[in-house]
Amino acid sequence: MTQQHSSLAFRWALRLHPAAYRAEHEAELTAIYAEATQDAGPLGRLREALDVAGHGLRRRTGLGSDRMAGQVLAQAAPLAVAVATGSFVAGLLWLFAPGVRTLPASSPPNVLSLANTGLTPLLWLAALTAVWTGRWTLARALVVPAMVLCLADVLLAAFASSGFHGTPSIAVIRLAVPLLTGAVVLAAPRDLLGLSQRRTIMGTTALAAVLVSSVQLIETYYPFTLGVLSVTGPLWAGILWAGVLAIALLFGTRNRLTVAGVAVAVLPTTLQVTVQLTPAGVVVLLLVLLSITVPFLRARRRHFQSTPPSAA
Amino acid sequence: MNERPLQEPTLLLLTALADEPRHGYGLIQEIDAISQGRVRMRTGTLYGALDRLVQQGLIRVEREEVVDGRARKVYALAEAGRDVLAAEAERLRAVVAEAERRLAARRAHAIRPKGALA
């Protein structure tokens, strides 16, 4: 099979590569694709082409596994899934607390919102299980519907103006965790993803759940908040996360990749706070910057004094 | 010695090149065989890994050839890659030995009659 006979999807996938890279590697990529799909059906060819497209986008954006940005994403991906899962599952469990009111299923936006509230945590939980067992292809497949569901919920609520109070920044707050976490998982180079340290994943998930539960407890006892699905919850969670991040990074530094990976993993949550730049948001932003910069510089100094990088 | 264990795709790739140089699709087939069908590396993922391992000096392009009108590169394990793979094999061997020792100790404990002296 030559390039003329390759599938349309594959030809588009090739075009996503930078021109110079394509000129150098197109013939070989085409040959590998042709051999790998010789007995494959349309779905198999499409999956193969999507993988090549992912490679092209990573080359174009500097997120390949040979680049530091890609290596940071690979470090961040399991932790980001753990943070999202812990947060969403704890949020779901709080809906069963006494006295909590949920939306009536009286209109399409409300139905979608209820579906999002109920299904999203389950999708993230399934994704976390896949990460736990090293099945990253499945994990990626699961975060896509979780992202789509949340996006559809927020957009439909915004268009219908029903049950959605506030400004565009509230939409950003609600979308930050699912969309950014999903983006981290999808963008991380597949060849750097495998079995993660289970104790770390479990600890991070539990920590996220505890932090969200703490926030819900605080909200329950403060009359000026709006309840379980309020906007102030994420603000408190962001402050708590920033504090945890600061402690973890300032007192538990290892290497630059780990430092950057942890920072990226909690970035979606902290972004919820900083997006409004309230006084609390500014404090969080400063805490995050400090807690990333200090260990990063420390690790960088150690890196230059010691060994060559590992193979991962 | 590595700071961290190798991730599975990297370990499988280096293992596939340990005995002889191979081209891209040959690597996909070999990884499939080594992992007993569990890992099916796709073209983009393979190519990303090859880019990285070449850049890290763990593998090298041994030659380029055209077979049946298809251009392809043949990759070989570099000396640094051989060292990394040997270190990882040693690490895994130590883990396996320890696991077997503990399992054997547990079995011995389980079949020891009640009241018998240690």
Side-chain angles (χ1 to χ4, degrees):
Chain A
M1 190 186 288
T2 60
Q3 199 201 337
Q4 292 95 296
H5 300 109
S6 303
S7 72
L8 182 66
F10 176 69
R11 289 201 296 278
W12 274 104
L14 274 181
R15 282 184 202 137
L16 291 174
H17 290 73
Y21 188 89
R22 196 169 67 231
E24 190 181 341
H25 299 281
E26 181 170 352
E28 194 195 6
L29 272 169
T30 305
I32 297 176
Y33 171 83
E35 287 179 303
T37 56
Q38 58 195 356
D39 298 322
L43 192 61
R45 284 200 295 276
L46 180 64
R47 280 207 301 232
E48 203 73 35
L50 283 175
D51 194 58
V52 174
H55 177 249
L57 286 174
R58 284 189 197 97
R59 294 296 323 175
R60 200 174 271 282
T61 53
L63 295 175
S65 64
D66 57 337
R67 307 291 289 272
M68 180 175 253
Q71 291 164 12
V72 168
L73 286 181
Q75 289 276 321
L79 295 176
V81 174
V83 170
T85 306
S87 306
F88 280 118
V89 170
L92 177 65
L93 292 178
W94 267 92
L95 287 179
F96 297 104
V100 172
R101 286 174 300 148
T102 54
L103 295 168
S106 54
S107 65
N110 283 6
V111 170
L112 189 60
S113 184
L114 288 170
N116 180 25
T117 308
L119 280 180
T120 299
L122 299 180
L123 285 168
W124 282 106
L125 194 59
L128 184 72
T129 309
V131 170
W132 181 273
T133 53
R135 300 178 68 189
W136 279 95
T137 306
L138 179 61
R140 285 164 184 247
L142 286 164
V143 300
V144 173
M147 292 164 77
V148 170
L149 195 55
C150 193
L151 189 61
D153 175 20
V154 170
L155 288 180
L156 193 60
F159 280 121
S161 299
S162 143
F164 185 73
H165 318 277
T167 61
S169 65
I170 295 176
V172 174
I173 287 172
R174 287 190 61 192
L175 290 172
V177 171
L179 292 195
L180 288 179
T181 305
V184 167
V185 173
L186 294 176
R190 177 65 187 89
D191 61 294
L192 289 180
L193 300 172
L195 278 175
S196 311
Q197 288 190 329
R198 291 181 169 180
R199 195 181 297 176
T200 308
I201 290 181
M202 199 162 59
T204 308
T205 310
L207 186 60
V210 166
L211 285 180
V212 169
S213 298
S214 308
V215 169
Q216 303 297 359
L217 267 176
I218 292 168
E219 288 203 329
T220 305
Y221 292 104
Y222 278 84
F224 56 81
T225 59
L226 301 171
V228 169
L229 297 176
S230 79
V231 177
T232 50
L235 300 182
W236 282 102
I239 294 169
L240 291 171
W241 264 121
V244 169
L245 176 68
I247 292 166
L249 294 183
L250 288 172
F251 298 103
T253 57
R254 279 158 285 181
N255 61 45
R256 286 185 301 167
L257 284 180
T258 308
V259 170
V262 172
V264 170
V266 298
L267 182 69
T269 317
T270 49
L271 183 73
Q272 293 181 128
V273 191
T274 54
V275 71
Q276 290 189 324
L277 281 182
T278 56
V282 173
V283 171
V284 168
L285 190 60
L286 289 175
L287 258 176
V288 170
L289 287 176
L290 176 73
S291 58
I292 293 169
T293 308
V294 172
F296 186 81
L297 291 175
R298 219 186 282 163
R300 186 181 162 88
R301 198 171 55 219
R302 268 204 310 274
H303 174 77
F304 283 119
Q305 286 170 353
S306 58
T307 52
S310 70
Chain B
M1 184 70 79
N2 291 307
E3 293 166 8
R4 286 173 288 134
L6 294 178
Q7 287 293 6
E8 192 178 30
T10 306
L11 175 62
L12 289 170
L13 245 171
L14 295 181
T15 304
L17 287 171
D19 56 346
E20 61 180 80
R22 295 179 200 280
H23 58 84
Y25 184 58
L27 283 168
I28 291 175
Q29 289 178 307
E30 205 59 23
I31 287 168
D32 189 57
I34 294 168
S35 67
Q36 297 173 322
R38 199 169 39 81
V39 178
R40 166 78 174 76
M41 199 174 269
R42 299 195 183 281
T43 309
T45 305
L46 172 76
Y47 222 78
L50 291 174
D51 284 343
R52 173 172 56 86
L53 294 174
V54 168
Q55 187 231 16
Q56 290 176 329
L58 300 183
I59 65 172
R60 63 173 196 280
V61 179
E62 180 156 286
R63 63 180 184 275
E64 297 185 32
E65 58 189 19
V66 178
V67 178
D68 297 333
R70 290 172 184 168
R72 64 190 193 187
K73 289 178 184 160
V74 175
Y75 297 88
L77 203 56
E79 207 50 50
R82 203 164 287 283
D83 292 344
V84 166
L85 183 60
E88 183 68 6
E90 183 55 43
R91 190 188 69 79
L92 292 171
R93 196 177 296 122
V95 172
V96 169
E98 184 61 18
E100 286 177 341
R101 188 187 70 74
R102 289 178 186 224
L103 285 170
R106 174 78 183 163
R107 274 196 299 271
H109 180 75
I111 60 174
R112 189 179 299 146
K114 277 185 181 173
L117 292 174

